[in-house]
PDB file of all heavy atoms in Angstrom:
ATOM      1  N   LYS A  11      -8.208  13.775  -3.251  1.00  0.00           N
ATOM      2  CA  LYS A  11      -9.141  12.639  -3.231  1.00  0.00           C
ATOM      3  C   LYS A  11      -8.890  11.752  -2.025  1.00  0.00           C
ATOM      4  O   LYS A  11      -9.827  11.307  -1.357  1.00  0.00           O
ATOM      5  CB  LYS A  11      -9.032  11.835  -4.526  1.00  0.00           C
ATOM      6  CG  LYS A  11      -9.634  12.546  -5.720  1.00  0.00           C
ATOM      7  CD  LYS A  11      -9.570  11.696  -6.951  1.00  0.00           C
ATOM      8  CE  LYS A  11     -10.143  12.467  -8.141  1.00  0.00           C
ATOM      9  NZ  LYS A  11     -10.034  11.704  -9.380  1.00  0.00           N
ATOM     10  N   GLY A  66      -2.189   9.306  12.824  1.00  0.00           N
ATOM     11  CA  GLY A  66      -0.997   9.316  13.670  1.00  0.00           C
ATOM     12  C   GLY A  66       0.017  10.346  13.224  1.00  0.00           C
ATOM     13  O   GLY A  66       0.625  11.038  14.047  1.00  0.00           O
ATOM     14  N   GLU A  80      15.119  25.506  23.176  1.00  0.00           N
ATOM     15  CA  GLU A  80      15.459  26.182  24.424  1.00  0.00           C
ATOM     16  C   GLU A  80      14.580  25.757  25.605  1.00  0.00           C
ATOM     17  O   GLU A  80      14.828  26.135  26.739  1.00  0.00           O
ATOM     18  CB  GLU A  80      15.423  27.707  24.254  1.00  0.00           C
ATOM     19  CG  GLU A  80      14.067  28.291  23.922  1.00  0.00           C
ATOM     20  CD  GLU A  80      13.766  28.359  22.424  1.00  0.00           C
ATOM     21  OE1 GLU A  80      14.563  27.883  21.605  1.00  0.00           O
ATOM     22  OE2 GLU A  80      12.690  28.890  22.089  1.00  0.00           O
ATOM     23  N   VAL A 192       6.213  11.242  38.021  1.00  0.00           N
ATOM     24  CA  VAL A 192       7.181  10.530  37.163  1.00  0.00           C
ATOM     25  C   VAL A 192       8.583  11.139  37.194  1.00  0.00           C
ATOM     26  O   VAL A 192       9.546  10.500  36.776  1.00  0.00           O
ATOM     27  CB  VAL A 192       6.710  10.463  35.688  1.00  0.00           C
ATOM     28  CG1 VAL A 192       5.385   9.709  35.593  1.00  0.00           C
ATOM     29  CG2 VAL A 192       6.632  11.828  35.030  1.00  0.00           C
TER      30      VAL A 192
END
Side-chain angles (χ1 to χ4, degrees):
K11 287 183 182 177
E80 64 271 4
V192 299

